[in-house]
Short mmCIF file of all heavy atoms in Angstrom, two decimals:
data_model
loop_
_atom_site.label_atom_id
_atom_site.label_comp_id
_atom_site.label_asym_id
_atom_site.label_seq_id
_atom_site.Cartn_x
_atom_site.Cartn_y
_atom_site.Cartn_z
N LEU A 1 63.19 89.43 89.85
CA LEU A 1 63.63 88.05 89.94
C LEU A 1 63.72 87.64 91.40
O LEU A 1 64.32 88.34 92.21
CB LEU A 1 64.97 87.87 89.27
CG LEU A 1 65.58 86.47 89.34
CD1 LEU A 1 64.72 85.47 88.60
CD2 LEU A 1 66.97 86.49 88.79
N GLY A 2 63.05 86.52 91.72
CA GLY A 2 63.15 85.97 93.05
C GLY A 2 62.09 86.40 94.03
O GLY A 2 61.95 85.80 95.09
N ARG A 3 61.34 87.45 93.72
CA ARG A 3 60.28 87.91 94.62
C ARG A 3 59.19 86.85 94.72
O ARG A 3 58.88 86.17 93.74
CB ARG A 3 59.70 89.22 94.08
CG ARG A 3 58.89 89.96 95.11
CD ARG A 3 58.62 91.37 94.65
NE ARG A 3 57.47 91.37 93.76
CZ ARG A 3 57.21 92.30 92.86
NH1 ARG A 3 58.05 93.29 92.67
NH2 ARG A 3 56.15 92.23 92.10
N LYS A 4 58.59 86.69 95.88
CA LYS A 4 57.54 85.71 96.10
C LYS A 4 56.17 86.38 96.03
O LYS A 4 55.98 87.48 96.53
CB LYS A 4 57.68 85.05 97.48
CG LYS A 4 58.99 84.33 97.69
CD LYS A 4 59.03 83.05 96.91
CE LYS A 4 60.30 82.28 97.27
NZ LYS A 4 60.40 81.03 96.57
N VAL A 5 55.22 85.67 95.40
CA VAL A 5 53.84 86.13 95.33
C VAL A 5 52.90 84.97 95.62
O VAL A 5 53.28 83.80 95.52
CB VAL A 5 53.50 86.74 93.95
CG1 VAL A 5 54.28 88.01 93.69
CG2 VAL A 5 53.71 85.74 92.83
N LYS A 6 51.67 85.33 95.98
CA LYS A 6 50.63 84.34 96.28
C LYS A 6 49.54 84.44 95.22
O LYS A 6 49.12 85.54 94.85
CB LYS A 6 50.05 84.61 97.67
CG LYS A 6 48.90 83.72 98.05
CD LYS A 6 48.46 83.93 99.49
CE LYS A 6 47.88 85.29 99.71
NZ LYS A 6 47.26 85.47 101.04
N PHE A 7 49.06 83.28 94.75
CA PHE A 7 47.96 83.25 93.79
C PHE A 7 46.65 83.51 94.53
O PHE A 7 46.28 82.78 95.45
CB PHE A 7 47.91 81.90 93.08
CG PHE A 7 46.77 81.74 92.12
CD1 PHE A 7 46.55 82.67 91.13
CD2 PHE A 7 45.90 80.67 92.23
CE1 PHE A 7 45.49 82.54 90.23
CE2 PHE A 7 44.84 80.52 91.34
CZ PHE A 7 44.64 81.46 90.35
N LEU A 8 45.93 84.57 94.12
CA LEU A 8 44.70 84.98 94.79
C LEU A 8 43.45 84.27 94.26
O LEU A 8 42.44 84.22 94.94
CB LEU A 8 44.50 86.49 94.63
CG LEU A 8 45.59 87.37 95.23
CD1 LEU A 8 45.33 88.84 94.87
CD2 LEU A 8 45.67 87.18 96.73
N ASN A 9 43.51 83.79 93.04
CA ASN A 9 42.37 83.17 92.38
C ASN A 9 41.19 84.13 92.26
O ASN A 9 40.03 83.76 92.42
CB ASN A 9 41.95 81.88 93.09
CG ASN A 9 41.06 81.01 92.22
OD1 ASN A 9 41.07 81.14 91.00
ND2 ASN A 9 40.30 80.14 92.82
N CYS A 10 41.51 85.40 91.99
CA CYS A 10 40.48 86.40 91.70
C CYS A 10 41.13 87.52 90.89
O CYS A 10 42.34 87.55 90.74
CB CYS A 10 39.84 86.95 92.99
SG CYS A 10 40.95 87.76 94.12
N HIS A 11 40.28 88.40 90.37
CA HIS A 11 40.69 89.52 89.51
C HIS A 11 41.05 89.02 88.10
O HIS A 11 41.17 87.83 87.87
CB HIS A 11 41.87 90.32 90.11
CG HIS A 11 41.66 90.74 91.52
ND1 HIS A 11 40.65 91.58 91.91
CD2 HIS A 11 42.33 90.40 92.65
CE1 HIS A 11 40.70 91.76 93.21
NE2 HIS A 11 41.71 91.06 93.69
N GLY A 12 41.19 89.92 87.19
CA GLY A 12 41.49 89.54 85.81
C GLY A 12 40.24 89.06 85.08
O GLY A 12 39.14 89.03 85.61
N TYR A 13 40.45 88.70 83.84
CA TYR A 13 39.37 88.17 83.00
C TYR A 13 39.10 86.72 83.36
O TYR A 13 39.97 86.02 83.89
CB TYR A 13 39.75 88.26 81.52
CG TYR A 13 39.91 89.67 81.02
CD1 TYR A 13 41.18 90.19 80.76
CD2 TYR A 13 38.81 90.49 80.82
CE1 TYR A 13 41.33 91.50 80.29
CE2 TYR A 13 38.96 91.79 80.36
CZ TYR A 13 40.22 92.29 80.10
OH TYR A 13 40.36 93.57 79.65
N ASP A 14 37.89 86.25 83.05
CA ASP A 14 37.54 84.85 83.31
C ASP A 14 38.53 83.91 82.64
O ASP A 14 38.93 82.91 83.23
CB ASP A 14 36.12 84.54 82.81
CG ASP A 14 35.04 85.19 83.67
OD1 ASP A 14 35.34 85.60 84.81
OD2 ASP A 14 33.90 85.28 83.18
N SER A 15 38.95 84.25 81.43
CA SER A 15 39.90 83.39 80.71
C SER A 15 41.25 83.35 81.41
O SER A 15 41.92 82.30 81.43
CB SER A 15 40.06 83.84 79.26
OG SER A 15 40.51 85.19 79.21
N ASP A 16 41.66 84.46 82.02
CA ASP A 16 42.91 84.50 82.80
C ASP A 16 42.83 83.54 83.98
O ASP A 16 43.76 82.78 84.25
CB ASP A 16 43.19 85.89 83.36
CG ASP A 16 43.51 86.93 82.31
OD1 ASP A 16 44.02 86.55 81.23
OD2 ASP A 16 43.25 88.12 82.56
N LEU A 17 41.70 83.58 84.68
CA LEU A 17 41.52 82.72 85.86
C LEU A 17 41.44 81.25 85.47
O LEU A 17 42.02 80.40 86.15
CB LEU A 17 40.27 83.14 86.63
CG LEU A 17 40.41 84.45 87.39
CD1 LEU A 17 39.05 84.95 87.85
CD2 LEU A 17 41.35 84.29 88.56
N GLU A 18 40.74 80.95 84.39
CA GLU A 18 40.65 79.55 83.94
C GLU A 18 42.04 79.01 83.60
O GLU A 18 42.38 77.89 83.99
CB GLU A 18 39.74 79.46 82.71
CG GLU A 18 38.28 79.64 83.03
CD GLU A 18 37.42 79.70 81.77
OE1 GLU A 18 37.86 79.22 80.70
OE2 GLU A 18 36.29 80.22 81.87
N TYR A 19 42.84 79.80 82.91
CA TYR A 19 44.19 79.40 82.54
C TYR A 19 45.05 79.18 83.79
O TYR A 19 45.73 78.16 83.93
CB TYR A 19 44.80 80.47 81.63
CG TYR A 19 46.21 80.20 81.19
CD1 TYR A 19 46.52 79.10 80.39
CD2 TYR A 19 47.25 81.05 81.56
CE1 TYR A 19 47.82 78.86 79.98
CE2 TYR A 19 48.55 80.82 81.15
CZ TYR A 19 48.83 79.72 80.36
OH TYR A 19 50.12 79.48 79.97
N ALA A 20 45.01 80.14 84.71
CA ALA A 20 45.82 80.04 85.93
C ALA A 20 45.40 78.86 86.79
O ALA A 20 46.24 78.18 87.39
CB ALA A 20 45.73 81.34 86.72
N ASN A 21 44.10 78.58 86.84
CA ASN A 21 43.61 77.47 87.66
C ASN A 21 44.03 76.10 87.12
O ASN A 21 43.95 75.11 87.85
CB ASN A 21 42.09 77.54 87.82
CG ASN A 21 41.72 78.41 88.98
OD1 ASN A 21 41.90 78.04 90.13
ND2 ASN A 21 41.21 79.61 88.69
N GLU A 22 44.49 76.05 85.89
CA GLU A 22 45.05 74.79 85.36
C GLU A 22 46.38 74.47 86.03
O GLU A 22 46.80 73.31 86.06
CB GLU A 22 45.28 74.91 83.85
CG GLU A 22 44.01 75.00 83.04
CD GLU A 22 44.30 75.14 81.55
OE1 GLU A 22 45.37 74.68 81.09
OE2 GLU A 22 43.45 75.70 80.84
N TYR A 23 47.05 75.49 86.59
CA TYR A 23 48.40 75.31 87.13
C TYR A 23 48.50 75.57 88.63
O TYR A 23 49.40 75.04 89.28
CB TYR A 23 49.37 76.26 86.40
CG TYR A 23 49.43 76.00 84.93
CD1 TYR A 23 48.67 76.76 84.04
CD2 TYR A 23 50.20 74.97 84.42
CE1 TYR A 23 48.72 76.52 82.67
CE2 TYR A 23 50.24 74.72 83.06
CZ TYR A 23 49.50 75.49 82.20
OH TYR A 23 49.53 75.24 80.85
N PHE A 24 47.62 76.41 89.17
CA PHE A 24 47.75 76.83 90.56
C PHE A 24 46.48 76.58 91.35
O PHE A 24 45.38 76.59 90.81
CB PHE A 24 48.05 78.34 90.65
CG PHE A 24 49.15 78.82 89.76
CD1 PHE A 24 48.93 79.83 88.85
CD2 PHE A 24 50.40 78.26 89.83
CE1 PHE A 24 49.95 80.28 88.03
CE2 PHE A 24 51.44 78.69 89.00
CZ PHE A 24 51.20 79.71 88.11
N ALA A 25 46.66 76.43 92.66
CA ALA A 25 45.56 76.41 93.61
C ALA A 25 45.61 77.73 94.38
O ALA A 25 46.69 78.31 94.56
CB ALA A 25 45.68 75.25 94.58
N GLU A 26 44.46 78.21 94.82
CA GLU A 26 44.42 79.45 95.59
C GLU A 26 45.38 79.37 96.77
O GLU A 26 45.40 78.39 97.50
CB GLU A 26 43.00 79.71 96.09
CG GLU A 26 42.83 81.05 96.74
CD GLU A 26 41.39 81.35 97.08
OE1 GLU A 26 40.49 80.90 96.35
OE2 GLU A 26 41.18 82.05 98.08
N GLY A 27 46.20 80.41 96.92
CA GLY A 27 47.15 80.46 98.02
C GLY A 27 48.54 79.94 97.69
O GLY A 27 49.46 80.08 98.50
N ASP A 28 48.71 79.32 96.52
CA ASP A 28 50.05 78.83 96.12
C ASP A 28 51.04 79.99 96.14
O ASP A 28 50.73 81.10 95.70
CB ASP A 28 50.02 78.23 94.72
CG ASP A 28 49.49 76.81 94.68
OD1 ASP A 28 49.21 76.24 95.75
OD2 ASP A 28 49.35 76.27 93.56
N ILE A 29 52.25 79.72 96.63
CA ILE A 29 53.33 80.70 96.65
C ILE A 29 54.26 80.39 95.48
O ILE A 29 54.68 79.25 95.30
CB ILE A 29 54.12 80.63 97.98
CG1 ILE A 29 53.18 80.81 99.18
CG2 ILE A 29 55.25 81.66 97.99
CD1 ILE A 29 52.50 82.14 99.28
N LEU A 30 54.57 81.44 94.70
CA LEU A 30 55.37 81.28 93.49
C LEU A 30 56.52 82.28 93.49
O LEU A 30 56.47 83.31 94.15
CB LEU A 30 54.50 81.51 92.26
CG LEU A 30 53.29 80.57 92.23
CD1 LEU A 30 52.12 81.25 91.57
CD2 LEU A 30 53.66 79.29 91.56
N THR A 31 57.55 81.97 92.71
CA THR A 31 58.74 82.81 92.61
C THR A 31 58.79 83.48 91.25
O THR A 31 58.77 82.80 90.22
CB THR A 31 60.01 81.95 92.79
OG1 THR A 31 59.89 81.17 93.98
CG2 THR A 31 61.26 82.83 92.87
N ILE A 32 58.86 84.80 91.23
CA ILE A 32 58.87 85.55 89.98
C ILE A 32 60.19 85.34 89.24
O ILE A 32 61.27 85.46 89.82
CB ILE A 32 58.64 87.04 90.23
CG1 ILE A 32 57.22 87.25 90.71
CG2 ILE A 32 58.93 87.87 88.96
CD1 ILE A 32 56.88 88.69 91.06
N LYS A 33 60.05 85.03 87.95
CA LYS A 33 61.22 84.94 87.06
C LYS A 33 61.35 86.23 86.25
O LYS A 33 62.44 86.76 86.09
CB LYS A 33 61.08 83.74 86.13
CG LYS A 33 62.23 83.58 85.17
CD LYS A 33 62.07 82.35 84.30
CE LYS A 33 63.26 82.23 83.36
NZ LYS A 33 63.12 81.08 82.48
N GLU A 34 60.21 86.73 85.73
CA GLU A 34 60.23 87.92 84.88
C GLU A 34 58.84 88.55 84.89
O GLU A 34 57.83 87.85 84.97
CB GLU A 34 60.58 87.52 83.45
CG GLU A 34 60.78 88.66 82.48
CD GLU A 34 62.13 89.33 82.63
OE1 GLU A 34 63.12 88.63 82.87
OE2 GLU A 34 62.18 90.56 82.51
N ILE A 35 58.78 89.88 84.82
CA ILE A 35 57.52 90.61 84.67
C ILE A 35 57.58 91.35 83.34
O ILE A 35 58.57 92.01 83.03
CB ILE A 35 57.29 91.60 85.81
CG1 ILE A 35 57.16 90.85 87.14
CG2 ILE A 35 56.03 92.44 85.56
CD1 ILE A 35 57.04 91.75 88.35
N TYR A 36 56.52 91.21 82.55
CA TYR A 36 56.42 91.85 81.23
C TYR A 36 55.35 92.93 81.33
O TYR A 36 54.18 92.63 81.52
CB TYR A 36 56.05 90.81 80.17
CG TYR A 36 57.01 89.66 80.13
CD1 TYR A 36 56.80 88.51 80.90
CD2 TYR A 36 58.14 89.70 79.32
CE1 TYR A 36 57.69 87.45 80.87
CE2 TYR A 36 59.04 88.63 79.28
CZ TYR A 36 58.80 87.52 80.06
OH TYR A 36 59.69 86.47 80.04
N VAL A 37 55.75 94.19 81.20
CA VAL A 37 54.84 95.32 81.36
C VAL A 37 54.42 95.83 80.00
O VAL A 37 55.26 96.21 79.17
CB VAL A 37 55.50 96.45 82.18
CG1 VAL A 37 54.56 97.63 82.32
CG2 VAL A 37 55.94 95.94 83.54
N GLY A 38 53.10 95.85 79.78
CA GLY A 38 52.53 96.38 78.54
C GLY A 38 51.87 97.72 78.80
O GLY A 38 51.94 98.26 79.91
N ARG A 39 51.19 98.24 77.79
CA ARG A 39 50.53 99.54 77.94
C ARG A 39 49.34 99.47 78.88
O ARG A 39 49.10 100.37 79.66
CB ARG A 39 50.06 100.04 76.58
CG ARG A 39 51.20 100.52 75.72
CD ARG A 39 50.67 101.07 74.45
NE ARG A 39 50.05 102.37 74.76
CZ ARG A 39 50.08 103.40 73.97
NH1 ARG A 39 50.66 103.31 72.80
NH2 ARG A 39 49.53 104.52 74.31
N SER A 40 48.55 98.39 78.78
CA SER A 40 47.33 98.31 79.59
C SER A 40 47.26 97.03 80.43
O SER A 40 46.24 96.77 81.04
CB SER A 40 46.10 98.40 78.69
OG SER A 40 46.12 97.34 77.76
N PHE A 41 48.32 96.26 80.44
CA PHE A 41 48.34 95.03 81.23
C PHE A 41 49.78 94.62 81.48
O PHE A 41 50.70 95.11 80.84
CB PHE A 41 47.61 93.89 80.50
CG PHE A 41 48.31 93.46 79.25
CD1 PHE A 41 49.24 92.42 79.28
CD2 PHE A 41 48.07 94.07 78.04
CE1 PHE A 41 49.91 92.03 78.13
CE2 PHE A 41 48.74 93.68 76.88
CZ PHE A 41 49.66 92.66 76.93
N SER A 42 49.95 93.72 82.43
CA SER A 42 51.27 93.16 82.72
C SER A 42 51.12 91.65 82.93
O SER A 42 50.13 91.20 83.49
CB SER A 42 51.86 93.78 83.98
OG SER A 42 52.05 95.15 83.81
N ASP A 43 52.11 90.92 82.48
CA ASP A 43 52.16 89.47 82.68
C ASP A 43 53.37 89.12 83.52
O ASP A 43 54.36 89.86 83.54
CB ASP A 43 52.29 88.73 81.34
CG ASP A 43 51.01 88.75 80.52
OD1 ASP A 43 49.92 88.92 81.11
OD2 ASP A 43 51.10 88.58 79.30
N VAL A 44 53.27 87.99 84.18
CA VAL A 44 54.38 87.51 85.00
C VAL A 44 54.70 86.07 84.63
O VAL A 44 53.80 85.29 84.29
CB VAL A 44 54.04 87.64 86.51
CG1 VAL A 44 52.83 86.81 86.89
CG2 VAL A 44 55.22 87.29 87.38
N GLU A 45 55.98 85.74 84.64
CA GLU A 45 56.46 84.38 84.40
C GLU A 45 57.12 83.91 85.69
O GLU A 45 57.79 84.69 86.37
CB GLU A 45 57.48 84.39 83.26
CG GLU A 45 58.02 83.03 82.91
CD GLU A 45 59.03 83.09 81.76
OE1 GLU A 45 59.22 84.19 81.16
OE2 GLU A 45 59.64 82.07 81.47
N PHE A 46 56.93 82.65 86.04
CA PHE A 46 57.43 82.12 87.30
C PHE A 46 58.54 81.10 87.09
O PHE A 46 58.55 80.38 86.10
CB PHE A 46 56.29 81.46 88.09
CG PHE A 46 55.21 82.43 88.46
CD1 PHE A 46 53.98 82.39 87.84
CD2 PHE A 46 55.43 83.40 89.43
CE1 PHE A 46 52.98 83.30 88.17
CE2 PHE A 46 54.46 84.31 89.76
CZ PHE A 46 53.22 84.26 89.14
N VAL A 47 59.44 81.05 88.06
CA VAL A 47 60.51 80.05 88.06
C VAL A 47 59.92 78.65 87.96
O VAL A 47 60.43 77.79 87.25
CB VAL A 47 61.37 80.20 89.35
CG1 VAL A 47 62.34 79.05 89.50
CG2 VAL A 47 62.09 81.54 89.36
N GLU A 48 58.79 78.44 88.63
CA GLU A 48 58.16 77.12 88.69
C GLU A 48 57.54 76.68 87.36
O GLU A 48 57.33 75.49 87.14
CB GLU A 48 57.07 77.10 89.79
CG GLU A 48 57.60 77.26 91.19
CD GLU A 48 57.85 78.72 91.61
OE1 GLU A 48 57.63 79.65 90.80
OE2 GLU A 48 58.26 78.92 92.77
N LEU A 49 57.22 77.64 86.49
CA LEU A 49 56.59 77.34 85.19
C LEU A 49 57.22 78.19 84.09
O LEU A 49 56.57 79.08 83.53
CB LEU A 49 55.09 77.59 85.23
CG LEU A 49 54.25 76.55 85.94
CD1 LEU A 49 52.85 77.06 86.18
CD2 LEU A 49 54.21 75.28 85.13
N PRO A 50 58.46 77.97 83.75
CA PRO A 50 59.11 78.80 82.72
C PRO A 50 58.38 78.72 81.38
O PRO A 50 57.87 77.66 81.01
CB PRO A 50 60.52 78.23 82.64
CG PRO A 50 60.46 76.88 83.24
CD PRO A 50 59.31 76.89 84.21
N GLY A 51 58.30 79.86 80.71
CA GLY A 51 57.68 79.91 79.39
C GLY A 51 56.19 80.16 79.41
O GLY A 51 55.59 80.37 78.36
N LYS A 52 55.56 80.18 80.58
CA LYS A 52 54.13 80.45 80.68
C LYS A 52 53.94 81.79 81.38
O LYS A 52 54.61 82.09 82.36
CB LYS A 52 53.42 79.34 81.45
CG LYS A 52 53.57 77.99 80.78
CD LYS A 52 52.52 77.05 81.23
CE LYS A 52 52.67 75.68 80.59
NZ LYS A 52 52.57 75.68 79.16
N ARG A 53 53.01 82.59 80.87
CA ARG A 53 52.77 83.93 81.42
C ARG A 53 51.36 84.02 81.97
O ARG A 53 50.42 83.44 81.43
CB ARG A 53 52.96 84.99 80.35
CG ARG A 53 54.37 85.10 79.85
CD ARG A 53 54.46 86.22 78.85
NE ARG A 53 55.79 86.34 78.28
CZ ARG A 53 56.15 87.34 77.48
NH1 ARG A 53 55.29 88.27 77.14
NH2 ARG A 53 57.38 87.39 77.01
N PHE A 54 51.22 84.81 83.05
CA PHE A 54 49.95 84.97 83.73
C PHE A 54 49.72 86.44 84.04
O PHE A 54 50.67 87.19 84.29
CB PHE A 54 49.95 84.16 85.03
CG PHE A 54 50.20 82.70 84.80
CD1 PHE A 54 51.50 82.20 84.80
CD2 PHE A 54 49.16 81.83 84.56
CE1 PHE A 54 51.75 80.86 84.57
CE2 PHE A 54 49.40 80.48 84.33
CZ PHE A 54 50.69 80.00 84.34
N ASN A 55 48.46 86.85 84.07
CA ASN A 55 48.09 88.23 84.37
C ASN A 55 48.51 88.57 85.80
O ASN A 55 48.16 87.85 86.75
CB ASN A 55 46.58 88.39 84.20
CG ASN A 55 46.12 89.81 84.27
OD1 ASN A 55 46.73 90.66 84.91
ND2 ASN A 55 45.01 90.10 83.62
N THR A 56 49.24 89.66 85.97
CA THR A 56 49.77 90.02 87.29
C THR A 56 48.70 90.34 88.33
O THR A 56 48.96 90.21 89.52
CB THR A 56 50.72 91.23 87.19
OG1 THR A 56 50.01 92.33 86.62
CG2 THR A 56 51.95 90.91 86.37
N VAL A 57 47.50 90.75 87.90
CA VAL A 57 46.47 91.16 88.87
C VAL A 57 45.97 90.01 89.73
O VAL A 57 45.30 90.25 90.74
CB VAL A 57 45.27 91.86 88.20
CG1 VAL A 57 45.71 93.11 87.47
CG2 VAL A 57 44.50 90.93 87.29
N MET A 58 46.29 88.78 89.36
CA MET A 58 45.82 87.61 90.11
C MET A 58 46.78 87.21 91.23
O MET A 58 46.55 86.21 91.92
CB MET A 58 45.64 86.41 89.16
CG MET A 58 44.65 86.67 88.06
SD MET A 58 44.42 85.23 87.00
CE MET A 58 46.02 85.10 86.21
N PHE A 59 47.82 88.00 91.47
CA PHE A 59 48.85 87.66 92.44
C PHE A 59 49.11 88.82 93.39
O PHE A 59 48.96 89.97 93.03
CB PHE A 59 50.15 87.27 91.70
CG PHE A 59 49.95 86.13 90.76
CD1 PHE A 59 49.59 86.37 89.44
CD2 PHE A 59 50.08 84.83 91.19
CE1 PHE A 59 49.38 85.30 88.56
CE2 PHE A 59 49.87 83.77 90.32
CZ PHE A 59 49.52 84.01 89.01
N GLN A 60 49.53 88.48 94.60
CA GLN A 60 49.83 89.46 95.63
C GLN A 60 51.21 89.19 96.20
O GLN A 60 51.57 88.02 96.44
CB GLN A 60 48.78 89.36 96.74
CG GLN A 60 49.00 90.29 97.89
CD GLN A 60 47.93 90.12 98.95
OE1 GLN A 60 47.17 89.16 98.94
NE2 GLN A 60 47.87 91.06 99.88
N ASP A 61 51.97 90.26 96.44
CA ASP A 61 53.29 90.10 97.06
C ASP A 61 53.17 89.40 98.41
O ASP A 61 52.22 89.65 99.16
CB ASP A 61 53.96 91.46 97.28
CG ASP A 61 54.51 92.05 96.00
OD1 ASP A 61 54.87 91.29 95.09
OD2 ASP A 61 54.62 93.28 95.93
N VAL A 62 54.16 88.58 98.71
CA VAL A 62 54.24 87.91 99.99
C VAL A 62 55.44 88.50 100.73
O VAL A 62 56.56 88.48 100.20
CB VAL A 62 54.41 86.38 99.83
CG1 VAL A 62 54.61 85.72 101.17
CG2 VAL A 62 53.21 85.80 99.10
N VAL A 63 55.23 89.01 101.90
CA VAL A 63 56.28 89.63 102.70
C VAL A 63 56.77 88.63 103.75
O VAL A 63 55.98 87.95 104.38
CB VAL A 63 55.77 90.90 103.39
CG1 VAL A 63 56.84 91.54 104.23
CG2 VAL A 63 55.24 91.88 102.34
N GLY A 64 58.08 88.51 103.86
CA GLY A 64 58.66 87.68 104.90
C GLY A 64 58.75 86.21 104.58
O GLY A 64 58.94 85.39 105.46
N VAL A 65 58.61 85.85 103.30
CA VAL A 65 58.74 84.43 102.92
C VAL A 65 60.04 84.23 102.19
O VAL A 65 60.47 84.98 101.41
CB VAL A 65 57.56 83.99 102.02
CG1 VAL A 65 57.78 82.59 101.51
CG2 VAL A 65 56.28 84.09 102.79
#
């Protein structure tokens, strides 16, 4: 909770990227609300968009923000 990440606009499935691009622009900084870890994938939910989940591979930690 509260960690900052940047949207990379790469990695993941094409459908993941299409979904994320409806909400984010490359380089957007977001605040993690919750991470959901599965057996072969993980999703992340953001404070800025509660109730929507995105593939974690499309985001990178931001240090010092």
